[in-house]
Amino acid sequence: MATNPPPSAIQTVGLRKSFGDKVVLDGLDLAVARGTVFALLGPNGAGKTVTVQILSTLIRADGGQVRVAGHDVAADPGAVRRAIGVTGQRSALDDLLTGRENLILMADLHHLGRAAGRRRADLLLERFGLAEVAGRRAAAYSGGMRRRLDLAMTLIADPQIIFLDEPTTGLDPRSRRVMWDIVRDLVAGGVTIFLTTQYLDEADRLADRIGVLDGGRLVAEGTAEELKRLVPGGHVTLRFADAAALHAAAALFEPAPRDDEALTLQVPSDGGVRSLRVLLARLEDASIEVDELSVHLPDLDDVFLALTGRPRHEKVTTR
């Protein structure tokens, strides 16, 4: 007997938001599956942070429907807040308190109770590798330690959905990898992550699905591989054992670029399974043996440029 799929963790239909005469979100439709990572990409001013603010009940939308954790954001914001956690771009730490005191303060704000709150704080300090510095003031923490403590504070109430708004901005590569591992562990435990980031490799490594936002509209959505196939420039590199096989293949796929010294041929392709089957079938029909095959696709930087019309680091003047 067929069963209905579980409801989305996050769903928006026709989401709109303006500030004065500036339209920031213009009919945004999103659906984020439970227990996945969804990454929202876009140039500065595209509306990423505004989207997070609406989904997390910090500001109200001007129009459209929004449901988070099964609750209508406008009709029942309290239920939404109980189901989510938010780690924003700016640190929420009190620098005068120790790491443990910051967590206990958050536990008290969530009314966990004295004993339960302290147990939860100690568990998170251990989980995030902060137990040894728990008694140190947050002001003395490194950037990576501060972001880990920020995320630990978000987890104090065990949320179903976590919004991470550019969580690794300014971190060194090692600290970024630590944060990535933490995100993967959370998702493995059933948590849904809604991620905004300026680092395209971060989205490529972490996200199950990626949305590209530009001008307040979702201009593309899919897996990283699906998005890469939207951009021209993909090709399959064929390597041959001898010049005769290379020459025969070059005639078959003319005018594909060839390298006689390396015995390779670059055949334009979107890298999809169907395209590869067609390519291999043509080679087999011509009795041409291939020694090695590799697929090369555009990266997310190429996707970003193609879809938004500007490099990802280029700033715009709007919010």
Side-chain angles (χ1 to χ4, degrees), residues 37-41 193-197 202-203 207-212:
V37 179
F38 182 88
L40 189 63
L41 308 180
I193 303 289
F194 189 99
L195 169 74
T196 72
T197 179
E202 186 163 83
D208 298 288
R209 294 188 69 79
I210 299 169
V212 181

Side-chain angles (χ1 to χ4, degrees), residues 288-315:
I288 301 172
E289 291 289 334
V290 179
D291 199 43
E292 184 179 319
L293 177 152
S294 57
V295 178
H296 302 265
L297 294 176
D299 61 20
L300 284 182
D301 280 291
D302 299 317
V303 174
F304 194 96
L305 178 59
L307 294 177
T308 68
R310 53 185 176 271
R312 63 189 172 100
H313 296 302
E314 182 179 320
K315 294 186 177 180

Side-chain angles (χ1 to χ4, degrees), residues 94-239:
D94 186 328
D95 284 340
L96 298 179
L97 300 180
T98 67
R100 187 169 188 267
E101 288 169 344
N102 269 284
L103 285 170
I104 289 172
L105 174 61
M106 188 61 64
D108 290 342
L109 291 173
H110 282 280
H111 309 291
L112 295 189
R114 181 178 176 84
R118 280 146 184 77
R119 283 196 303 270
R120 181 70 175 162
D122 290 337
L123 178 67
L124 288 169
L125 287 166
E126 189 68 36
R127 180 179 182 182
F128 283 77
L130 296 169
E132 293 186 1
V133 295
R136 190 182 303 173
R137 285 188 177 182
Y141 281 19
S142 67
M145 291 162 60
R146 292 177 67 85
R147 292 309 278 167
R148 277 184 280 155
L149 183 57
D150 255 329
L151 186 50
M153 291 173 66
T154 300
L155 289 173
I156 201 77
D158 200 19
Q160 304 170 35
I161 301 168
I162 298 176
F163 295 95
L164 300 180
D165 195 8
E166 300 189 15
T168 62
T169 297
L171 296 187
D172 62 80
R174 181 178 179 182
S175 296
R176 287 180 67 207
R177 286 194 294 270
V178 170
M179 287 294 291
W180 293 350
D181 288 340
I182 290 171
V183 168
R184 293 187 185 104
D185 287 343
L186 290 170
V187 174
V191 175
T192 303
I193 303 289
F194 189 99
L195 169 74
T196 72
T197 179
Q198 291 286 346
Y199 299 115
L200 301 190
D201 62 326
E202 186 163 83
D204 204 348
R205 289 171 180 259
L206 292 179
D208 298 288
R209 294 188 69 79
I210 299 169
V212 181
L213 191 65
D214 191 35
R217 292 178 175 271
L218 198 66
V219 295
E221 183 185 351
T223 66
E225 296 307 313
E226 288 169 345
L227 293 181
K228 291 171 187 177
R229 292 191 184 111
L230 296 175
V231 179
H235 63 271
V236 175
T237 298
L238 304 173
R239 187 182 302 277

Side-chain angles (χ1 to χ4, degrees), residues 258-272:
R258 58 188 284 179
D259 186 328
D260 291 300
E261 184 175 346
L263 296 176
T264 60
L265 185 71
Q266 289 187 3
V267 181
S269 172
D270 64 3

